[in-house]
Amino acid sequence: MTLDLLSLKSVDAFASAFLTRGLPLHGLILNAGIMATPFTLSADGIESQFATNHVAHFRLTQRLLDRIVESAPSRVVVVSAKLHTLAPKREGIRFDKISEQAIYKPWVAYGQSKLANILFSSELSRSLEARGIKNVYVNSLHPDEDQGASTSLFLATDPTVEEKDYRGLYFDPIAKLVEPDSKIATDAALAKKLWEFTEKLVQEKLGK
């Protein structure tokens, strides 16, 4: 199966191909990403870093979520970065200027997409709990530069996550529970706004 995160149609095709196999899904690690790239648009007309690092992961999770719930206990691990602090200082997410080339700054856009990762993780966790789903554990992290996958693997597989009921939290290397480096990353209202914005954006781009 192939997956192009710069195309929502490709994301949907990948999800459909996986679901038709009838396999359980106990862990989803949202790890793929691009960093500080020159301004380009995705196949759907979305700024490429926001499209790849956030929107595609949102859609992939959305399509696979029922299978993840059916397969519980299960985990969703969202790889963010300390550089989420580079997101716009005042608003965090520039909802009305996501794909505006005139104001594009590669590192700011990267920080914005990494902030979106943390906000998405916390809102997904909150929404699952609101539905009474207690055995799907969603967390985000900053990866270690020397042992990049260590914290991801901990959150995806270690029994400690269930034993300590880690959900909607943020981790530093290696497997260290911390607060995000930016206070705006803990803004529940912003997380909900981002969810609703992304959901609407995906629907518009896919014509659904």
Side-chain angles (χ1 to χ4, degrees), residues 46-161:
I46 305 167
E47 187 276 312
S48 60
Q49 293 191 82
F50 195 75
T52 301
N53 299 351
H54 169 62
V55 179
H57 287 154
F58 176 96
R59 180 56 175 172
L60 182 63
T61 306
Q62 187 180 49
R63 286 292 315 276
L64 297 178
L65 190 57
D66 286 347
R67 182 62 53 83
I68 292 169
V69 172
E70 292 167 4
S71 305
S74 49
R75 319 273 182 94
V76 178
V77 179
V78 186
V79 179
S80 180
K82 281 183 175 294
L83 291 181
H84 67 269
T85 56
L86 296 179
K89 300 300 181 185
R90 185 173 62 85
E91 64 270 57
I93 307 291
R94 292 174 174 162
F95 292 102
D96 60 339
K97 298 178 180 178
I98 290 292
S99 302
E100 191 170 315
Q101 185 173 5
I103 63 164
Y104 182 75
K105 295 181 179 180
W107 284 108
V108 174
Y110 177 72
Q112 178 174 251
S113 72
K114 293 289 101 179
L115 173 62
N117 291 152
I118 301 174
L119 296 170
F120 165 63
S121 173
S122 61
E123 180 62 16
L124 175 58
S125 180
R126 185 208 63 79
S127 65
L128 288 168
E129 287 194 74
R131 292 167 54 188
I133 298 169
K134 303 292 187 180
N135 52 357
V136 176
Y137 301 83
V138 184
N139 293 286
S140 60
L141 67 115
H142 167 70
D144 181 60
E145 294 183 10
D146 296 322
Q147 302 182 55
S150 297
T151 304
S152 295
L153 291 173
F154 168 79
L155 292 173
T157 64
D158 198 287
T160 306
V161 172

Side-chain angles (χ1 to χ4, degrees), residues 11 21 23 26 66 103 106 114 132 153 166 178 187 192 203:
V11 173
R21 296 188 176 193
L23 298 171
H26 296 290
D66 286 347
I103 63 164
K114 293 289 101 179
L153 291 173
Y166 289 152
V178 297
D187 187 329
K192 184 174 178 60
Q203 289 173 348

